[in-house]
Amino acid sequence: MVQMRVVTKLSGVDQVIRDFPDQVDQIKRDVLEEMAKEVALNSPVWGGDYVTNHQIGLRSGSFTASKTGTPFPPRLSESEAETKRQEGYESLLRDISAINIKSENFVIRNRMTYAGIVEGNYGVYAQARKSAAIAVREAVERARRTGR
């Protein structure tokens, strides 16, 4: 007689299924953080208002830019500009940590009334949008490798 034992323990599969929502949430968080970095790095810094007034939040459908200023004030020094970029990036990271990551509809926006002028000249959000596909691919690959 020949006999072969076949064991199908689903505990590994069950664990993957249980972990999947957490992995999706981490992928969303990773992608938002990468987009935040792109927005902060690609934002022009003249006086610092534009780069420090980006927000990441849930799409509400009722956003109006409310901060006024001059789109092209006198330029800050390079070290001051880097400080402003870091402030802007850290602010975006705080937004991400406060957001309901289980949501599906996120938005990155700028509170400055002249943000459209800056976007038209520099394409800050367009660049971030282009990098999003790469960020998604990298976050998914990282989740596959690490199981998180």
Side-chain angles (χ1 to χ4, degrees):
M1 174 170 129
V2 176
Q3 182 174 319
M4 179 173 75
R5 183 171 182 232
V6 177
V7 178
T8 57
K9 291 188 178 180
L10 294 179
S11 61
V13 173
D14 290 343
Q15 188 62 45
V16 168
I17 291 168
R18 276 193 300 274
D19 291 346
F20 187 71
D22 293 334
Q23 289 177 329
V24 170
D25 291 349
Q26 187 60 50
I27 289 168
K28 287 180 188 179
R29 196 172 283 106
D30 289 350
V31 170
L32 287 173
E33 287 175 3
E34 185 59 33
M35 292 184 77
K37 186 179 355 173
E38 288 289 320
V39 166
L41 288 175
N42 292 318
S43 289
V45 180
W46 291 75
D49 287 340
Y50 178 78
V51 73
T52 57
N53 277 284
H54 295 292
Q55 293 178 309
I56 294 179
L58 300 179
R59 185 176 173 147
S60 65
S62 61
F63 173 76
T64 303
S66 58
K67 292 211 167 190
T68 59
T70 306
F72 304 106
R75 277 193 180 253
L76 298 173
S77 70
E78 193 55 41
S79 66
E80 291 170 317
E82 286 308 310
T83 298
K84 290 293 184 179
R85 278 194 182 92
Q86 188 63 35
E87 285 176 28
Y89 177 58
E90 289 171 4
S91 175
L92 290 170
L93 291 180
R94 283 190 300 277
D95 289 347
I96 293 166
S97 68
I99 207 167
N100 177 1
I101 204 70
K102 302 247 182 249
S103 296
E104 298 293 325
N105 205 349
F106 305 102
V107 64
I108 302 175
R109 56 187 168 222
N110 193 289
R111 293 181 288 243
M112 300 306 294
T113 55
Y114 59 78
I117 295 168
V118 176
E119 181 63 20
N121 285 306
Y122 293 93
V124 174
Y125 293 149
Q127 291 175 59
R129 205 173 10 262
K130 286 179 186 176
S131 70
I134 295 167
V136 168
R137 216 173 18 254
E138 289 173 352
V140 168
E141 184 56 37
R142 195 168 33 256
R144 281 188 192 142
R145 278 194 321 270
T146 63
R148 71 160 183 96

